Amino acid sequence: MFFLSILPLRHDDLKEMLDSNKDSLKLEAMKRIVAMIARGKNASDLFPAVVKNVACKNIEVKKLVYVYLVRYAEEQQDLALLSISTFQRGLKDPNQLIRASALRVLSSIRVTIIVPIMMLAIKEAASDMSPYVRKTAAHAIPKLYSLDPEQKDQLIEVIEKLLADKTTLVAGSVVMAFEEVCPERIDLIHKNYRKLCNLLIDVEEWGQVVIINMLTRYARTQFLNPNINVNDDEDEDEEEKEKKAEAMAMAKRKPYVMDPDHRLLLRNTKPLLQSRNAAVVMAVAQLYFHLAPKAEVGVIAKALVRLLRSHSEVQYVVLQNVATMTIKRRGMFEPYLKSFYIRSTDPTQIKVLKLEVLTNLANETNISTILREFQTYIKSMDKDFVAATIQAIGRCATNIGEVRDTCLNGLVQLLSNRDELVVAESVVVIKKLLQMQPEKHSDIIKHMAKLTDNIQVPMARASILWLIGEYCEHVPKIAPDVLRKMAKSFTNEEDIVKLQIINLAAKLYLTNSKQTKLLTQYVLNLAKYDQNYDIRDRARFIRQLIVPTEKSGALSKYAKKLFLALKPAPVLESPFKDRDHFQLGSLSHLLNAKAGGYQELPDWPEAAPDPSVRNVEVKESVRAVGTVTYRDTGALWVFQGPQKMEGSEESDSASGSESGSGSGEESGSGSASEESEEGSDSEEEEEEMEKDNKKKTKIEFKKQTIAPSSTVKSYELLHRITGEGLSVEYCFSRQPFSSDANMVAVQMQFTNNSTSETKSLHMEDVKLQSGMRVKEFAEIGERWVQLGLTFRYGVKLMCSTPYYTTLKFFVSIQPPVGELMQPVFLTENEFKKEQGQLMGMNEITEKLTLDINPPVLLPDCMVHRFAGRTVTSGSLVLVTVVTKDEGATQLTVNCEKMVIGTMLVKDILLALTQ
C-alpha cells in the first residue's frame, strides 16, 4: 500500500537518481521502480541503471535492487550476465537476505553457460547457516533442473542433504524440489519420513500442502490398505469385487494391524483440519480419504462443510472433492445435508455441484425432503440450473425405485411449462425413465408425441422420435402420423433429428409397412441427397437393410432383430463416479483427465514393505553434569570455575584433584569408591599429558549427587571450527533460575581452543517469538554463564554472539520437551481426577516399542503414572505408561491448554524415565 501512494516519475529522472552519489536518492528511486512493477508497469528499460547499484553498500538499496533483478533477470539475460561476478560476491554477504536474493537472481538467469556456477552456488547455499538461504537453495533446484536436466544426479545429492534438514522453514521447499526433480526416489523419504510427520504441524501452510500430498503417495506404497476387510463401495463393478474378494481372502489369513508409521501420519495431520488455510484442510481431507480406515474418515466431514462458508472459488474445489467422496463415503456427509442446500446467491457452477452432492446423498430416508427442495429449484430463473435439477430428479428416480413413479409424474407435469428449455430437458429425462417400464406408461408416450408440434429443441425432438420408434407397438395409431409430419419438415430439421426420423421410418416399415412404406421411401430419398454425409450413409445402409433386393446380402434377414431388439435401460451415473483414482484436489481430478506432471496415486501393496527402512540411528553422547572443574594448559583465558552444587562430593579445583567423571559411569550414591577414584586419577594423568601437547582447555563434568539416577545432556551450540577457536556447549541444569522461577535455566560453557585472547563476549540480536522471554547475561568474565528462558515447545531461540568485536556467530537453542517440565506430586486419586478433566483434544495416546539404551527397567504389565508442570506457564502434563512384554508400551499424555502442541510422546517418555 505504501508503494501505490508514490507519484510516478519519468524514467530519465529515475536514472539520474540511480546515478546519484546519495543513497537516499537511490533508495527513493528504487522504491518508485518497485512500485511501478507492483502496478504492472514495464520497467525493463531501467535494468542497466539498476544493475549498477547491486554493489551499493546501503543494505536497503541492495535489497530493492535484488527485488527488481529477480523480476527482470530472465528477460535481460545478457545484461544480467555482465554482473554475474557481483551476484557471486552477494552469495558471501553477511546479510542472509542478500545471500538469498543473490541466489534467487542467479537462478533466474536462464543461460546454460552458467550452470556450473549455479550448481556450486546451490551446493554452498544448502550448507548455509541461515535456514532462509537453505530454503532459497531448495527453490533454485527445480529452476536448474529445468535448465539442464543432466544435472539431476548432483541435484538429488543436494535434495538428500536438505531433506535431512531439521528446520521447518526448509522442509516444504525441499519436498517441492523433490517432487519436481525425482518424485520416484521414495528411498530418499524413508529416513526422513518420521521427521517430516513430526515437523508438519510447524511448517508454513503451503509447505504443509506439498508435504501432505507427497506423504499420501508415499504411504500408498509403504503401508497396507486399512479397509481391506471392509466393504466400502456399494456400486463396485464385478472386476473390482473379484479383486477385493481375493484381497479379503488373503487378509483373513493374517489379521490387519496398522503400521505405527501409518498411524503417526494420520495422527499428526488430524490437527491441521483446524487450519485457517483451506488448501491445508483440503490436503488433509484427501489424505484421510485415500489412507484412513473407513471408521475414521468421518472426521474430515465437519472441516469440509466449514469451508463451504468461504468464497466461491474455495467452495467450487471443496464441492468437487465432496462430490467424489459422497459416492463411496455417503454416510459421513448425511448429517450435514442442509449445508448443501442451494442459496439464490450461489453462482451457477456452485449450484450444479451442490445438486450433485444432494443427489449422491439421496436415499429412502431423505428422498422426500430432497425432492421438495428440488421442486423449489425448478422455479429458478437460472435455466442451466433448472436443467441440472431436472437431471438430478431423473437420477433420484433411477437410483430409488420407490419414488420413480412420483418423479415421472412430476416431470410429465413440467411438459406443460411455458419455458421450452424446461420442457425439453424434461423430455430427455422422461425418455430415459420410460425405458425402464415402457408398457406401464403408454399414455405418457402418447402425450409426448403431441409435443412434436411445439418443442423446437433438437435434443428433445430427437428423444421423442426415438421413444415413438422404440415403442411403436404401444402407439400403433399415433406413430405413422408422427412420421408423416416429420417427413414434411425433414429438410428443415437439425442433423440429430434427421437421424431419428430415418430410424423411426425404418422401424415403422418393419412393423407397419402397409401404412408407412411410401413415407419411408420418401424419407430415404430426401436423406439420399442431404448435405451431411452421415445422413446420406445412414440412408443407404437402411435402404439396403430393410428393402431387400437381389443385391442385398444375408444381413437383411436380420433387420428386425437389429432394429427392434430390446435395449437395456440407461444407467444414470454421477460424472464423479470414477474420479477417485485421481488424487483428490489435483488438477487431474478437477479435469477428470491426467494432466501434465501428475504423479499417479499408487495402488496399495499386497504385502507390507520392510518398516525398518524408516529407522534412524541416533548417536548422542550423554554425560553427567554437576560441579565443573578446569585444567589450564596455557590458554590466555583464565578465571575461576563455578561453585560446587549442593550435595556434590568435595573437590579441589585448585589442586587439580578430580572425581571419576572421565569414565562416563554413574554411581548410585553421592561419593565414589576409592578404587574408582584411583582408576580415574590414572586415566586423567594420561589424558592430561595428551591434552598438554595440544595446548587446549578442557572442561570436565562431575557426577550430580542430587539425583543419581538422572543424567543431564550437553548440546553443542557453537563448533570450534565455525567459531574460529571458540566452542560453546550448553545444558539444562534442571535447577530453579535465580531471577525468575518461571524461566528455564540454561547453563552455557565456553572453551577457548586458540592461543588468542578472548574478550567482550556477549549476546545481541536476540530473536524471540511470541510468548518467549530471555534473561541475558552480561559480558562474559567467567567460563560459564546462566541464561533464563521461557520456551514454547518446538520453538528455537536465535541470537548472535560477537567475537573480537568483528566476528558474529549466529546460534540457536531448542530444548527437548523434558526440559520444559518440573515434577508434581499427586496421589493416585488426584491424578485420575485431573486426567478425567483433560480428555478429548487434550489427550494423545500412542502405542510404541521402545529401544532405549541403557534400558529403562520397568516391570512388565504395569501401569506407571507421571505428573509435571511446564516451567513457563505452569500447565499440567499427565503421562500414563502401560508396559507389556518385549518392550511394547502404551503411552497416554494429557496436556492442559495443549501448550505443547502435537507432542512427541516418545520424547516425553524418555524425558520422564531418564
Side-chain angles (χ1 to χ4, degrees):
M1 296 301 293
F2 169 73
F3 288 137
L4 298 180
S5 63
I6 300 177
L7 295 176
L9 290 176
R10 295 181 304 170
H11 286 193
D12 292 340
D13 297 334
L14 292 172
K15 290 178 182 178
E16 290 180 8
M17 294 172 70
L18 290 171
D19 292 337
S20 172
N21 294 327
K22 295 182 179 179
D23 288 344
S24 58
L25 290 177
K26 292 182 178 181
L27 182 60
E28 182 67 20
M30 287 308 306
K31 286 182 178 179
R32 294 177 183 274
I33 292 171
V34 175
M36 292 169 56
I37 297 173
R39 291 197 297 268
K41 294 186 177 181
N42 184 15
S44 58
D45 59 328
L46 295 170
F47 193 93
V50 173
V51 77
K52 289 188 300 185
N53 290 280
V54 73
C56 179
K57 295 182 179 180
N58 187 296
I59 191 67
E60 298 301 326
V61 173
K62 189 179 289 188
K63 288 179 183 178
L64 293 178
V65 168
Y66 274 113
V67 169
Y68 175 91
L69 294 177
V70 169
R71 170 63 179 82
Y72 286 109
E74 190 168 350
E75 297 180 13
Q76 304 282 342
Q77 294 180 2
D78 294 338
L79 291 174
L81 282 173
L82 297 177
S83 302
I84 196 167
S85 60
T86 306
F87 303 150
Q88 289 180 279
R89 286 197 299 271
L91 296 172
K92 306 291 184 181
D93 195 279
N95 190 302
Q96 61 175 347
L97 295 178
I98 300 301
R99 297 200 300 275
S101 298
L103 178 59
R104 192 177 293 116
V105 172
L106 199 60
S107 61
S108 300
I109 303 175
R110 316 291 293 167
V111 179
T112 55
I113 195 174
I114 66 166
V115 166
I117 298 175
M118 290 175 60
M119 177 60 73
L120 182 61
I122 290 174
K123 288 183 176 180
E124 291 180 354
S127 303
D128 196 278
M129 292 290 291
S130 168
Y132 180 70
V133 178
R134 300 198 297 272
K135 177 186 180 75
T136 307
H139 288 167
I141 290 174
K143 296 181 181 179
L144 179 55
Y145 177 69
S146 64
L147 182 62
D148 186 4
E150 294 182 0
Q151 304 295 323
K152 181 175 181 178
D153 292 339
Q154 294 188 58
L155 291 175
I156 289 177
E157 294 178 4
V158 181
I159 290 173
E160 185 175 9
K161 180 178 182 180
L162 289 174
L163 279 172
D165 199 304
K166 297 180 180 180
T167 310
T168 56
L169 191 64
V170 180
S173 300
V174 67
V175 170
M176 174 59 79
F178 169 83
E179 293 285 78
E180 292 286 338
V181 177
C182 53
E184 73 284 353
R185 289 289 305 274
I186 61 169
D187 58 294
L188 301 179
I189 305 299
H190 291 324
K191 299 294 184 183
N192 302 290
Y193 171 81
R194 293 167 186 164
K195 181 197 69 177
L196 289 173
C197 290
N198 292 324
L199 289 180
L200 192 57
I201 193 72
D202 296 318
V203 175
E204 49 92 16
E205 293 170 338
W206 295 110
Q208 289 173 343
V209 174
V210 174
I211 294 174
I212 290 172
N213 288 332
M214 183 274 293
L215 291 179
T216 301
R217 293 194 302 277
Y218 176 85
R220 287 289 287 257
T221 65
Q222 300 299 308
F223 308 130
L224 294 178
N225 184 357
N227 298 308
I228 194 66
N229 296 322
V230 180
N231 183 17
D232 61 346
D233 189 352
E234 300 175 356
D235 301 322
E236 292 176 331
D237 57 30
E238 293 300 324
E239 185 178 354
E240 290 177 341
K241 288 181 179 179
E242 290 178 4
K243 289 181 179 180
K244 181 157 261 188
E246 293 177 3
M248 290 178 68
M250 293 181 61
K252 287 180 180 178
R253 302 172 192 168
K254 186 176 181 181
Y256 172 76
V257 178
M258 179 174 284
D259 190 296
D261 288 331
H262 191 174
R263 173 58 60 194
L264 174 69
L265 177 60
L266 294 176
R267 185 181 65 247
N268 284 13
T269 53
K270 184 177 179 180
L272 295 179
L273 288 172
Q274 307 300 322
S275 174
R276 61 185 178 182
N277 189 311
V280 176
V281 178
M282 285 303 311
V284 178
Q286 65 85 25
L287 181 141
Y288 262 75
F289 180 77
H290 291 302
L291 301 181
K294 182 179 180 181
E296 300 179 23
V297 181
V299 299
I300 67 177
K302 185 175 182 180
L304 293 176
V305 170
R306 175 170 55 87
L307 293 181
L308 293 178
R309 304 177 192 140
S310 306
H311 51 83
S312 57
E313 289 81 1
V314 173
Q315 288 186 53
Y316 183 77
V317 177
V318 171
L319 289 169
Q320 287 269 347
N321 291 337
V322 171
T324 302
M325 293 179 184
T326 50
I327 294 174
K328 287 193 174 181
R329 301 282 190 269
R330 179 189 304 170
M332 70 181 187
F333 287 102
E334 286 182 359
Y336 306 98
L337 182 69
K338 292 185 178 179
S339 299
F340 300 101
Y341 284 177
I342 294 163
R343 299 182 177 88
S344 58
T345 55
D346 287 338
T348 301
Q349 65 269 24
I350 300 298
K351 293 177 180 177
V352 172
L353 286 173
K354 284 186 175 181
L355 272 177
E356 183 67 34
V357 174
L358 288 173
T359 307
N360 291 343
L361 294 178
N363 55 34
E364 292 81 359
T365 305
N366 58 27
I367 185 62
S368 58
T369 304
I370 292 177
L371 286 179
R372 282 198 300 270
E373 193 73 14
F374 286 174
Q375 287 178 347
T376 306
Y377 300 159
I378 291 174
K379 301 175 183 177
S380 172
M381 300 299 293
D382 187 342
K383 302 307 175 187
D384 293 334
F385 171 50
V386 172
T389 302
I390 295 172
Q391 294 175 10
I393 293 173
R395 276 184 53 202
C396 289
T398 303
N399 299 334
I400 306 172
E402 298 176 358
V403 296
R404 187 171 300 151
D405 292 341
T406 304
C407 293
L408 192 56
N409 293 332
L411 291 172
V412 170
Q413 293 178 8
L414 291 178
L415 296 178
S416 59
N417 194 290
R418 296 180 180 178
D419 193 315
E420 185 180 0
L421 292 176
V422 174
V423 176
E425 196 64 40
S426 301
V427 168
V428 174
V429 175
I430 289 173
K431 170 231 173 184
K432 296 176 181 178
L433 294 179
L434 288 179
Q435 285 182 255
M436 298 178 181
Q437 294 176 323
E439 66 282 353
K440 294 183 179 180
H441 303 289
S442 57
D443 293 339
I444 297 177
I445 297 175
K446 293 177 183 178
H447 179 66
M448 294 179 67
K450 298 176 182 177
L451 297 175
T452 53
D453 295 334
N454 301 321
I455 294 181
Q456 300 301 322
V457 178
M459 180 58 72
R461 292 174 69 83
S463 297
I464 293 174
L465 293 175
W466 185 91
L467 269 177
I468 295 172
E470 187 68 17
Y471 306 113
C472 55
E473 68 275 9
H474 297 292
V475 284
K477 296 182 180 179
I478 295 178
D481 193 51
V482 171
L483 178 61
R484 178 181 60 80
K485 291 182 179 180
M486 291 297 103
K488 291 173 61 177
S489 62
F490 182 88
T491 55
N492 298 323
E493 300 288 352
E494 296 290 333
D495 292 344
I496 188 174
V497 179
K498 290 179 180 179
L499 290 173
Q500 291 304 326
I501 293 173
I502 295 172
N503 286 342
L504 175 61
K507 292 175 182 178
L508 289 177
Y509 182 88
L510 293 173
T511 59
N512 188 4
S513 60
K514 290 182 180 180
Q515 286 184 288
T516 58
K517 182 177 180 179
L518 294 177
L519 276 174
T520 301
Q521 291 179 352
Y522 175 72
V523 169
L524 292 176
N525 287 333
L526 290 175
K528 182 179 179 180
Y529 301 102
D530 195 88
Q531 293 181 352
N532 188 294
Y533 60 84
D534 285 335
I535 296 173
R536 297 197 300 269
D537 290 347
R538 177 73 62 88
R540 291 194 196 95
F541 168 72
I542 289 179
R543 186 188 295 275
Q544 293 297 321
L545 197 60
I546 66 174
V547 184
T549 61
E550 295 179 357
K551 297 181 180 180
S552 299
L555 193 61
S556 60
K557 300 177 182 179
Y558 304 99
K560 285 192 176 181
K561 292 184 178 180
L562 289 174
F563 280 97
L564 302 177
L566 291 177
K567 299 172 179 62
V571 179
L572 301 180
E573 294 181 339
S574 169
F576 292 87
K577 182 180 181 183
D578 297 323
R579 290 198 189 186
D580 61 321
H581 65 276
F582 292 116
Q583 189 168 356
L584 266 64
S586 64
L587 179 62
S588 298
H589 172 261
L590 187 67
L591 300 176
N592 197 23
K594 185 176 179 180
Y598 172 72
Q599 298 295 325
E600 293 282 356
L601 192 64
D603 293 329
W604 293 102
E606 294 182 0
D610 183 11
S612 64
V613 296
R614 291 183 290 277
N615 294 339
V616 180
E617 295 183 3
V618 180
K619 298 181 180 179
E620 294 182 351
S621 59
V622 180
R623 294 185 292 177
V625 176
T627 304
V628 182
T629 61
Y630 299 90
R631 183 178 299 131
D632 184 22
T633 57
L636 299 179
W637 195 358
V638 182
F639 39 74
Q640 296 296 322
Q643 296 179 355
K644 294 177 292 183
M645 298 178 65
E646 182 181 354
S648 64
E649 62 179 344
E650 295 292 326
S651 65
D652 186 2
S653 60
S655 62
S657 62
E658 299 175 357
S659 70
S661 60
S663 64
E665 297 176 356
E666 298 180 17
S667 65
S669 62
S671 62
S673 65
E674 294 180 0
E675 293 180 2
S676 64
E677 289 183 4
E678 292 175 1
S680 62
D681 286 339
S682 62
E683 291 177 4
E684 288 170 3
E685 290 176 2
E686 295 175 1
E687 293 174 1
E688 183 176 0
M689 294 175 62
E690 182 180 353
K691 295 299 181 181
D692 284 345
N693 293 332
K694 296 183 179 180
K695 293 291 182 181
K696 291 185 179 179
T697 302
K698 177 184 176 184
I699 300 178
E700 292 186 348
F701 299 85
K702 273 196 173 182
K703 300 188 189 71
Q704 183 175 348
T705 60
I706 296 177
S709 63
S710 66
T711 60
V712 179
K713 295 182 181 179
S714 292
Y715 304 90
E716 185 178 71
L717 187 63
L718 182 66
H719 192 270
R720 60 185 177 83
I721 296 178
T722 307
E724 300 188 12
L726 173 65
S727 63
V728 185
E729 289 186 342
Y730 70 95
C731 64
F732 298 88
S733 63
R734 300 184 180 176
Q735 300 295 323
F737 186 64
S738 56
S739 301
D740 190 340
N742 291 330
M743 284 187 166
V744 178
V746 181
Q747 185 171 334
M748 301 174 65
Q749 303 158 35
F750 297 79
T751 302
N752 180 14
N753 297 281
S754 69
T755 58
S756 303
E757 182 179 1
T758 57
K759 54 186 177 181
S760 301
L761 284 170
H762 61 280
M763 294 171 58
E764 67 179 37
D765 297 338
V766 180
K767 299 179 181 179
L768 299 175
Q769 297 193 20
S770 175
M772 295 178 62
R773 294 183 294 120
V774 61
K775 182 71 174 178
E776 301 182 16
F777 55 84
E779 284 192 8
I780 293 179
E782 298 180 346
R783 288 183 183 175
W784 70 277
V785 295
Q786 269 200 338
L787 287 176
L789 300 170
T790 60
F791 281 102
R792 291 187 296 126
Y793 178 69
V795 175
K796 291 183 178 180
L797 167 73
M798 293 185 291
C799 62
S800 59
T801 304
Y803 185 32
Y804 293 138
T805 69
T806 59
L807 296 179
K808 183 182 294 185
F809 305 109
F810 294 89
V811 295
S812 63
I813 298 176
Q814 184 171 19
V817 61
E819 305 295 351
L820 303 180
M821 293 182 288
Q822 56 189 5
V824 173
F825 298 96
L826 298 176
T827 65
E828 183 176 355
N829 291 335
E830 291 174 338
F831 186 98
K832 291 181 178 179
K833 180 180 178 181
E834 294 288 349
Q835 190 178 39
Q837 297 175 359
L838 299 175
M839 306 294 285
M841 291 295 292
N842 297 88
E843 182 177 84
I844 304 173
T845 301
E846 179 62 69
K847 293 181 180 179
L848 46 88
T849 301
L850 291 180
D851 183 16
I852 304 174
N853 190 19
V856 180
L857 299 179
L858 297 176
D860 292 341
C861 299
M862 292 290 290
V863 178
H864 308 269
R865 296 181 176 89
F866 302 89
R869 287 191 182 275
T870 56
V871 176
T872 300
S873 63
S875 299
L876 187 63
V877 179
L878 304 176
V879 182
T880 305
V881 183
V882 180
T883 59
K884 301 178 181 179
D885 16 346
E886 298 182 356
T889 304
Q890 176 173 308
L891 182 64
T892 302
V893 181
N894 301 83
C895 313
E896 186 178 11
K897 304 178 185 177
M898 291 299 290
V899 292
I900 307 183
T902 305
M903 290 187 175
L904 303 179
V905 291
K906 186 173 180 180
D907 288 349
I908 294 177
L909 181 59
L910 291 174
L912 295 178
T913 54
Q914 283 183 344

